[in-house]
Structures are given as structure tokens and as C-alpha cells.
């Protein structure tokens, strides 16, 4: 299937989820992430803040867990049409941007490039780790700037079924996919 078809299909599948299903599935994904990757104090994790209107995975479960264990947390912010990474703390102030995404008020990039994990939003991921997002390309550009050692982890409600037919050379796949049922590895290193 083409990305545009997959994007439409999985946006629709997501829209059909109730808030109870979103929370329940998010909790399973969170549990699988923690059980598999065993994050610990001092690590640096970049994670997205969910867009609620799109029923994205409830990443506040992750953020609260990380902060309570002294794991450094970084979130994306779009500044001058570029994704930067801002470190957050339990008292960080947030505001909603034009796309309805909650972002830290600060525009100061952490300049960190050696994350332990980058938990990546996506609508779909195939069996090769290829992603379909919202089509803006922010994460492909971001992945170009970070250390090759940083593990890129997609999280999704749905298991890979369809293959993405129109992957192109600048698309950067994730290394892992965490779903409510499993953790899949595409890591080649």
C-alpha cells in the first residue's frame, strides 16, 4: 500500500478507538517498553507529547515514569519549521501550538544528540521498520541530526500487516516497534 492510503486507513482505525481503549492499549505499550528496554536513572529519552484529537498513545505514562526515576526527558518542539529537542522537568510549563500539540514554552534546544531512546510517533510501521507519520518529515530530519547509536523506537496500537510500497531513500526506519502485544526489533547493529 502507498503511504497516503495507509495514513488514511490508520487515522480512521485510530479514530474508532474509545478513550478507554486508548488508555488500556497505551498502558500495555508502556509496560512492554519498560519490560523490554529497562530504562534507568541518567538515561536520556526523547519522547513525543500526544495529540489527543488523533487518539495518540498516552505518553504521559512514560514521562511520569521517567521523571520519577531521574531519567532525563526531552520532547519535540517545532521552531522555525524545524524539530528541536527541549529538556523537560516536572514543573515545565507547556502551551498548545497551532496544530493542537502541547509543547514546552521554552524555545531553547537541548542540543543533545546522543539519546538512549527516541520514542517516535507514527501512524503505522511495517515489518521492516518503515514508518508512516503525518507526512511532514520532521522526524526524518531529526534522525539525521542525532547519534546513530540512539535507538529509534516507534510505538503503535497496531501490528504491522501491510508493507509500505513507496518508501524512498530519505525515509529513516525505526529500530524497534512496541505494540500492545509485542516488541519487534529491526535493529541492525
Amino acid at each position: 500500500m502507498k503511504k497516503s492510503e495507509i495514513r488514511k486507513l490508520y487515522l480512521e482505525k485510530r479514530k474508532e478507538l474509545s478513550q478507554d481503549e486508548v488508555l488500556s492499549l497505551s498502558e500495555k505499550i508502556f509496560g512492554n517498553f519498560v519490560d523490554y528496554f529497562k530504562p534507568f536513572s541518567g538515561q536520556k529519552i526523547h519522547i513525543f507529547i500526544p495529540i489527543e484529537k488523533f487518539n495518540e498513545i498516552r505518553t504521559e505514562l512514560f514521562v511520569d515514569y521517567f521523571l520519577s526515576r531521574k531519567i532525563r526527558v526531552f520532547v519535540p518542539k517545532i521552531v522555525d519549521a524545524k524539530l528541536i529537542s527541549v529538556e523537560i522537568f516536572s514543573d515545565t510549563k507547556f502551551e498548545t501550538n497551532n496544530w493542537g500539540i502541547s509543547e514546552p514554552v521554552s524555545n531553547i534546544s537541548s542540543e543533545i544528540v546522543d539519546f538512549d531512546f527516541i520514542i517516535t510517533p507514527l501512524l503505522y510501521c511495517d515489518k521492516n521498520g518503515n514508518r508512516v507519520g503525518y507526512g511532514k518529515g520532521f522526524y526524518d530530519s531529526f534522525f539525521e541530526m542525532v547519534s546513530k547509536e540512539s535507538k529509534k523506537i516507534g510505538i503503535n496500537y497496531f501490528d504491522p500487516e501491510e508493507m509500505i510500497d513507496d518508501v524512498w531513500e530519505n525515509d529513516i526506519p525505526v529500530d524497534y516497534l512496541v505494540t500492545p502485544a509485542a516488541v519487534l526489533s529491526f535493529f541492525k547493529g
Side-chain angles (χ1 to χ4, degrees), residues 5 25 37 42 46 89 104 108 138 147 152 164 169 172 187:
E5 298 167 316
L25 294 169
F37 293 103
H46 184 278
F89 306 91
I108 300 170
F138 289 123
S147 165
K152 300 175 295 299
I164 300 169
E169 63 189 48
I172 298 175
F187 192 61

Side-chain angles (χ1 to χ4, degrees), residues 61-74 87-92:
L61 300 166
F62 294 75
V63 171
D64 292 346
Y65 177 88
F66 298 154
L67 290 174
S68 74
R69 283 160 177 76
K70 297 186 177 20
I71 295 167
R72 294 178 67 192
V73 178
F74 302 82
E87 186 165 10
I88 64 166
F89 306 91
S90 56
D91 61 351
T92 297

Side-chain angles (χ1 to χ4, degrees), residues 4 43 75 80 90-91 118 125 132 155 162-163 184:
S4 59
Q43 285 187 310
V75 298
D80 298 327
S90 56
D91 61 351
I118 301 170
C125 179
V132 173
I155 57 177
E162 294 85 1
M163 293 305 289
L184 306 174

Side-chain angles (χ1 to χ4, degrees), residues 79-111:
V79 176
D80 298 327
K82 183 178 138 198
L83 190 154
I84 66 166
S85 183
V86 178
E87 186 165 10
I88 64 166
F89 306 91
S90 56
D91 61 351
T92 297
K93 301 283 185 260
F94 285 80
E95 61 191 1
T96 303
N97 72 13
N98 297 336
W99 292 308
I101 301 169
S102 185
E103 296 180 319
V105 172
S106 171
N107 282 345
I108 300 170
S109 175
S110 67
E111 303 297 330

